[in-house]
Amino acid sequence: MSSTTNTLWVCDRQNNITELVSGRLVQRFRTKEEPQFICITASNHIIVGMTKHISRFTTKGTLVRSSLAEGTGNPLVCRPYRISECPVTHNVAVADLDSTGNGGEGKPHVVVMNTDFKELFVYDGEVPHTYQQTSQSEGEPFIPYSVVYDTVGNLVIADCNNNRILLISGRGEFLRLLHTDDHWTQAIGVDREDVLWAVFGLNKVKLLRYSSV
């Protein structure tokens, strides 16, 4: 959803980026590669996640910036799965599944970068021992299926494998465990009133109000 126009944007496997206008999807532009996920920024740019990079476009499809321009080393992202822009700093957080099939190391993580797509920090899912479940001291491998900023700039992360939702600061510091469920965490979102909605399993949706500080 665009916070500027309140319209819905969609990407598909045919490389189309479309906007829902008067109940009809209107094609705005196409990408050269298959888009994995999109994020509409406060400046009404479209950030598109594609294999091994993310790119920022105008609503007409003009390329503004790409993470590929950062150099010849390892890409900032491998398999971008979810993208979120911070409403305070406008930093960008990407849930990267880092799949080996896409050339990654098989170590899913969340990477946060600034508006120039320069890496600020990487969060690998580490949770202080005091928060670990007594029956599962080590936990399952971290798989961030969703990531979203709240209104004050903290990051809410869906830890799919461990059926839980984590809260970390905008600087990458673990703050607390927000919720643990009986089913795997599939998707999350935070509205302007800091009401957290979450999808667990295939068809369970919950609304959770929380204080981010």
Side-chain angles (χ1 to χ4, degrees):
M1 292 291 295
S2 168
S3 60
T4 305
T5 62
N6 289 324
T7 56
L8 177 69
W9 287 74
V10 180
C11 64
D12 63 33
R13 292 183 176 178
Q14 285 70 49
N15 300 12
N16 297 307
I17 308 298
T18 56
E19 183 182 12
L20 187 65
V21 180
S22 300
R24 185 171 64 92
L25 284 174
V26 178
Q27 185 193 70
R28 295 308 186 195
F29 62 95
R30 299 186 79 250
T31 55
K32 293 181 180 179
E33 301 172 54
E34 180 182 327
Q36 305 292 328
F37 194 78
I38 58 175
C39 172
I40 316 304
T41 71
S43 59
N44 219 32
H45 283 165
I46 317 298
I47 299 178
V48 183
M50 294 166 278
T51 301
K52 294 187 178 181
H53 68 100
I54 62 172
S55 294
R56 183 189 300 266
F57 298 90
T58 67
T59 55
K60 295 183 178 180
T62 301
L63 180 65
V64 177
R65 185 176 302 277
S66 173
S67 63
L68 288 175
E70 289 303 306
T72 58
N74 294 329
L76 280 177
V77 295
C78 176
R79 173 68 164 83
Y81 194 67
R82 293 288 188 272
I83 306 170
S84 182
E85 183 194 44
C86 178
V88 180
T89 64
H90 301 295
N91 291 337
V92 176
V94 180
D96 187 357
L97 296 187
D98 198 38
S99 56
T100 55
N102 294 117
E105 299 180 356
K107 297 178 180 179
H109 56 269
V110 173
V111 57
V112 173
M113 57 193 78
N114 63 16
T115 55
D116 292 326
F117 290 169
K118 295 184 183 297
E119 180 184 306
L120 298 177
F121 68 86
V122 172
Y123 177 70
D124 61 5
E126 183 178 356
V127 174
H129 182 72
T130 53
Y131 283 88
Q132 299 288 354
Q133 300 175 14
T134 55
S135 61
Q136 196 178 22
S137 58
E138 295 298 326
E140 296 296 326
F142 176 62
I143 299 182
Y145 252 31
S146 193
V147 59
V148 64
Y149 280 99
D150 65 14
T151 58
V152 299
N154 290 328
L155 270 172
V156 183
I157 302 172
D159 183 358
C160 170
N161 254 9
N162 292 287
N163 305 350
R164 61 192 180 187
I165 302 173
L166 312 175
L167 182 70
I168 68 172
S169 74
R171 298 180 298 276
E173 304 157 332
F174 179 86
L175 297 178
R176 61 192 174 98
L177 191 61
L178 289 179
H179 181 75
T180 300
D181 204 82
D182 294 329
H183 303 275
W184 54 282
T185 317
Q186 182 178 3
I188 52 175
V190 176
D191 68 17
R192 295 177 182 178
E193 303 299 323
D194 272 347
V195 174
L196 167 66
W197 63 265
V199 180
F200 296 97
L202 297 177
N203 57 5
K204 300 181 185 301
V205 181
K206 294 184 178 182
L207 293 177
L208 307 165
R209 182 178 294 277
Y210 79 101
S211 172
S212 62
V213 294

